[in-house]
Amino acid sequence: MLSHNIQSSKDAVDKCLSISSKGHFFSDSFFEDVRKDFETAVNEVLSRHDIMGSANDELSCYRSLRERELKDETQAMKTTEDRNGFKVVLDVHDFMNEDVKVKVVDNKEVVVEGRAEKNDGTLRSSKSFCRRFTLPGAVDMNAVTSAMSSDGVLTISAPKI
């Protein structure tokens, strides 16, 4: 279970971002510029856990690991910067679209939260995660956008000023 407490001061300004829905991560051209970053993040998780898969099944090995161990260390995530801005790509496959929220907090930080609850008769379970990204002042925080692929890969883009 991934969890962190989130607290913000009374005068903090939170702006919830809408998450655009896109197609499959590996076939939708929208994600073309972050595919390599996501593949690198998946490989880093597999490497940390001494799991080696063939090039054809790295994603399935990774998703299998996530099913067994849902924690921060097994979440594929990569942050990159280029001359245009910053991008964050992370796997939120374990959560439905409506279970994931992206917020800009105090005009300097991006917070991604996921929370899901399941109620199977007498058994009730929940899972959650929280990731925070502090972006440098050269970013236009009013222009931050987020998009999620149909297979659960979230991309956040923050353009430079």
Side-chain angles (χ1 to χ4, degrees), residues 22 24 26 33 65 76 90 102-103 113 117 161:
K22 302 292 179 181
H24 189 272
F26 291 100
D33 61 335
L65 171 66
L90 70 151
V102 179
K103 298 188 284 191
E113 297 175 288
E117 293 187 16
I161 296 174

Side-chain angles (χ1 to χ4, degrees), residues 120-155:
D120 295 332
T122 58
L123 182 63
R124 186 173 163 191
S125 64
S126 67
K127 58 186 174 181
S128 64
F129 78 92
C130 178
R131 295 288 192 165
R132 291 176 170 270
F133 306 94
T134 302
L135 301 174
V139 171
D140 183 358
M141 295 302 280
N142 292 317
V144 174
T145 59
S146 60
M148 188 178 315
S149 69
S150 60
D151 51 335
V153 180
L154 179 67
T155 301

Side-chain angles (χ1 to χ4, degrees), residues 85-140:
F86 293 86
K87 290 202 183 222
V88 177
V89 60
L90 70 151
D91 181 40
V92 295
H93 173 75
D94 309 303
F95 299 85
M96 303 298 289
N97 287 1
E98 61 274 2
D99 297 333
V100 177
K101 305 281 186 259
V102 179
K103 298 188 284 191
V104 173
V105 178
D106 285 340
N107 212 29
K108 66 179 178 187
E109 190 173 46
V110 175
V111 177
V112 181
E113 297 175 288
R115 178 157 182 78
E117 293 187 16
K118 193 187 284 186
N119 199 349
D120 295 332
T122 58
L123 182 63
R124 186 173 163 191
S125 64
S126 67
K127 58 186 174 181
S128 64
F129 78 92
C130 178
R131 295 288 192 165
R132 291 176 170 270
F133 306 94
T134 302
L135 301 174
V139 171
D140 183 358

Side-chain angles (χ1 to χ4, degrees), residues 3-22:
S3 63
H4 295 288
N5 291 333
I6 293 205
Q7 296 180 358
S8 51
S9 62
K10 283 190 273 182
D11 54 348
V13 178
D14 293 359
K15 175 182 152 191
C16 284
L17 301 179
S18 62
I19 301 173
S20 302
S21 295
K22 302 292 179 181

